[in-house]
């Protein structure tokens, strides 16, 4: 398994960690009426209040391109690239995956596997970024507060490359 040190969880120690922290992320990739449509690359991560990466959840790109050609376009996910991508060794086990076609998609992240079970109570932001060849780029941020227990629901919406984005954290 290849993991970069920057993608390892960098959570501060806290005396009261959450006991369960499963996250479900639902996001829409709208069908755009353009002459040349390419499936977007998508990155999903959680940021702490200081905008540092708390958990790198998913990087969806063309993983099947010959000679890892799909990796050279990851830098088009500019926000993710600057925070976590440039130091990453791709593919990242449990994080990398194939990009998705237009439609509504739900991804579930088990707390223990994604490191979310150790997320201390506090303010966070779920960030979803999409970039498309011959197209645009968009970042949607969904702020939420995790108390360490209970259930959190939050939503936001994109305008072009992303539609509705919602999270359920418990």
């Amino acid at each position: 398994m290849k993991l970069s040190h920057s993608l390892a969880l960098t959570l501060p120690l806290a005396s009261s960690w959450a006991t369960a922290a499963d996250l479900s992320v639902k996001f829409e990739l709208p069908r755009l009426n353009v002459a040349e449509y390419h499936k977007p690359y998508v990155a999903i991560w959680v940021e702490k209040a200081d905008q540092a990466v708390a958990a790198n959840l998913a990087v969806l790109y063309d993983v099947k391109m010959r000679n890892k050609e799909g990796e050279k376009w990851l830098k088009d996910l500019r926000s993710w690239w600057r925070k976590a991508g440039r130091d990453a060794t791709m593919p990242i086990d449990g994080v990398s995956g194939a990009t998705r076609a237009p439609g509504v998609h739900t991804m579930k992240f088990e707390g223990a596997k994604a490191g979310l079970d150790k997320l201390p109570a506090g303010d966070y932001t779920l960030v979803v970024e999409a970039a498309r060849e011959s197209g645009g780029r968009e970042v949607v941020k969904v702020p939420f507060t995790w108390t360490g227990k209970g259930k959190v629901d939050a939503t936001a919406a994109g305008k072009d490359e992303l539609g509705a984005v919602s999270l359920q954290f418990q």
Side-chain angles (χ1 to χ4, degrees), residues 135-151:
R137 176 186 154 274
E138 186 167 22
V139 177
V140 173
K141 296 185 175 195
V142 185
F144 66 97
T145 300
W146 175 240
T147 62
K149 59 184 176 182
K151 182 174 160 183

Side-chain angles (χ1 to χ4, degrees), residues 25-30 100-107 163-164 166:
V25 176
K26 188 177 197 178
F27 62 97
E28 179 185 10
L29 298 174
R100 307 291 197 267
V104 177
H105 304 278
T106 301
M107 298 186 76
S166 63

Side-chain angles (χ1 to χ4, degrees), residues 25-42:
V25 176
K26 188 177 197 178
F27 62 97
E28 179 185 10
L29 298 174
R31 169 53 102 183
L32 302 175
N33 189 16
V34 294
E36 186 178 347
Y37 181 84
H38 297 275
K39 293 178 189 175
Y41 281 19
V42 178

Side-chain angles (χ1 to χ4, degrees), residues 25-30 37-45 56-62 73-74 76-78 80-81 90 95-103 105 107 109 127-132 137-140 161-162 165:
V25 176
K26 188 177 197 178
F27 62 97
E28 179 185 10
L29 298 174
Y37 181 84
H38 297 275
K39 293 178 189 175
Y41 281 19
V42 178
I44 303 171
W45 70 97
N56 201 28
L57 301 174
V59 180
L60 309 176
Y61 67 101
D62 196 344
W73 304 109
L74 288 172
D76 289 346
L77 294 166
R78 291 191 309 244
W80 172 80
W81 183 257
M90 301 302 284
V95 174
S96 300
T99 190
R100 307 291 197 267
H105 304 278
M107 298 186 76
F109 305 97
V127 185
V128 179
E129 180 177 20
R132 194 172 46 83
R137 176 186 154 274
E138 186 167 22
V139 177
V140 173
E161 298 296 328
L162 289 163
V165 176

